[in-house]
Amino acid sequence: MEIKIAKFFGNARGALSFTFDDGCYKESTLKTIEIFKMVEAKTGVKIKATSAQTVGFLHEGLIDMWKIAIEEGYYDICSHSVDHCIGYNDETPEEKRLYDAEASRDKLSEIYGVTPICFAIPGGGESEGACQLLSRHYYANRVGEGPINDPDNLNFMRLTSFIGRLSYENVEPCVKFIDEIIACEGYGIQINHWLTDKEQDVHHAQRTHVFEDECLYAGKLASEGKLWIASLNDAVKYFYERNNAKITTQGDEITIKCDLDASIFNHPLTLVITADAEKSVKINGAPYELKVGENVITIEMR
Ligand SMILES: [Zn+2]
């Protein structure tokens, strides 16, 4: 019997996170939720995205909308600084960086009652110093454009990302990105800003129909077990837990434990157990009947 924790939740072949920056595009956010609901109806896959929120851009009406989106499980949040401090680099004074890391985290946790565990640097421009400072306040940090992340060797403070753009007239570049994730068994993070139907908008925007097609494509792959669509937070939690969990076996009793902070790290883990004979086992006290070959079992961790 061989036991390992799957690289990705559900033993998928790759993982994808949708992130939406700034937290201030109300109509667009409501449209994304409509799209997520449509995908859920067509594929059975519920997409949860992450909103990277800039505290200074929030107001009461927006916060009420976000609270509902979070409650319904279509979004969670991470910090995108206090006032969209562009170029979070060595030229940004240390005290300003510290302020953005701490005050945004504290303010967002006061608003939503959940402390953000991830940061997304506004406008890229990260430096080693900035990433180090952020690592004292967050578990992961999303940086600018780059290749797909290697989930076996994640640099949590430099999670690179793919930017959805207005220049994409159709879904092809997004399909290519998702296909590459699966081909290399990688972890891809997409940055989006707002959705638009206008031909003339700024480059930050993403065409509504392109995003809709992309979500349907991703949802179909997820429904086939090939892709795990996770919020940035859920993916980070899974990867941390996977890296820290310890498995012990005593006879037919399998114990899987994770010593990380239980109030944060509570994502279910997927085990892949290869058995050479039919077998009854207990995993964390619960009984399972193993079949010959690969058994994929998801375990609640808390
Ligand atoms: Zn931004």
Side-chain angles (χ1 to χ4, degrees):
M1 188 169 68
E2 189 204 321
I3 310 165
K4 61 173 187 171
I5 304 171
K7 195 189 262 193
F8 303 110
F9 180 70
N11 203 27
R13 282 153 55 188
L16 168 68
S17 294
F18 289 122
T19 60
F20 278 84
D21 279 15
D22 306 333
C24 55
Y25 312 115
K26 191 170 183 178
E27 292 309 312
S28 168
T29 303
L30 294 172
K31 183 69 197 170
T32 61
I33 294 172
E34 232 176 77
I35 293 171
F36 297 159
K37 286 182 176 168
M38 177 275 290
V39 172
E40 198 176 351
K42 286 195 176 171
T43 67
V45 172
K46 182 168 182 171
I47 297 175
K48 178 165 51 161
T50 294
S51 167
Q53 302 209 337
T54 297
V55 173
F57 295 170
L58 296 174
H59 56 73
E60 222 171 282
L62 276 172
I63 291 169
D64 290 344
M65 175 195 72
W66 285 119
K67 283 183 176 169
I68 295 169
I70 293 166
E71 175 75 28
E72 290 182 342
Y74 293 106
Y75 274 93
D76 56 22
I77 59 148
C78 75
S79 171
H80 195 45
S81 82
V82 176
D83 51 14
H84 212 261
C85 168
I86 294 281
Y88 206 81
N89 52 33
D90 284 336
E91 280 147 47
T92 312
E94 170 95 7
E95 66 204 45
K96 169 69 180 140
R97 286 197 235 141
L98 187 64
Y99 169 72
D100 267 289
E102 281 181 346
S104 65
R105 183 196 57 188
D106 295 349
K107 190 67 196 162
L108 289 170
S109 74
E110 188 188 310
I111 293 171
Y112 296 110
V114 179
T115 304
I117 63 165
C118 299
F119 194 87
I121 288 184
E126 78 286 354
S127 68
E128 200 50 53
C131 290
Q132 265 181 29
L133 182 143
L134 287 168
S135 72
R136 299 199 290 273
H137 298 85
Y138 295 90
Y139 286 94
N141 172 38
R142 193 207 65 197
V143 300
E145 253 175 304
I148 294 160
N149 300 279
D150 168 11
D152 290 326
N153 299 291
L154 282 172
N155 181 344
F156 284 101
M157 285 300 132
R158 283 176 180 274
L159 294 176
T160 58
S161 48
F162 165 88
I163 303 181
R165 294 178 191 282
L166 185 67
S167 58
Y168 300 153
E169 298 280 343
N170 60 54
V171 77
E172 285 316 312
C174 303
V175 163
K176 188 167 166 269
F177 172 61
I178 294 171
D179 286 348
E180 278 172 17
I181 291 171
I182 292 174
C184 71
E185 301 196 346
Y187 172 43
I189 304 170
Q190 185 171 324
I191 301 180
N192 303 283
H193 288 83
W194 66 92
L195 303 182
T196 183
D197 294 318
K198 293 187 196 121
E199 288 299 308
Q200 302 296 324
D201 212 319
V202 296
H203 71 280
H204 288 106
Q206 158 91 303
R207 284 169 208 275
T208 306
H209 71 89
V210 171
F211 186 66
E212 198 170 298
D213 290 349
E214 182 183 11
C215 285
L216 263 177
Y217 184 74
K220 187 168 176 294
L221 289 170
S223 72
E224 294 163 357
K226 292 175 186 154
L227 184 69
W228 179 35
I229 310 174
S231 72
L232 175 62
N233 294 295
D234 285 344
V236 163
K237 285 179 193 181
Y238 186 90
F239 294 135
Y240 263 87
E241 288 175 49
R242 184 197 66 180
N243 294 354
N244 284 279
K246 302 240 175 335
I247 300 172
T248 50
T249 328
Q250 213 170 21
D252 296 330
E253 304 241 343
I254 299 162
T255 308
I256 169 156
K257 265 194 181 164
C258 178
D259 291 333
L260 296 170
D261 182 345
S263 66
I264 297 172
F265 295 97
N266 48 23
H267 200 280
L269 287 178
T270 301
L271 300 181
V272 180
I273 306 179
T274 312
D276 43 23
E278 281 183 26
K279 206 175 176 50
S280 306
V281 293
K282 277 190 173 171
I283 308 173
N284 285 0
Y288 292 89
E289 297 299 325
L290 300 183
K291 57 179 175 52
V292 178
E294 220 175 63
N295 298 264
V296 177
I297 299 170
T298 293
I299 304 289
E300 291 293 334
M301 290 302 288
R302 310 292 174 198

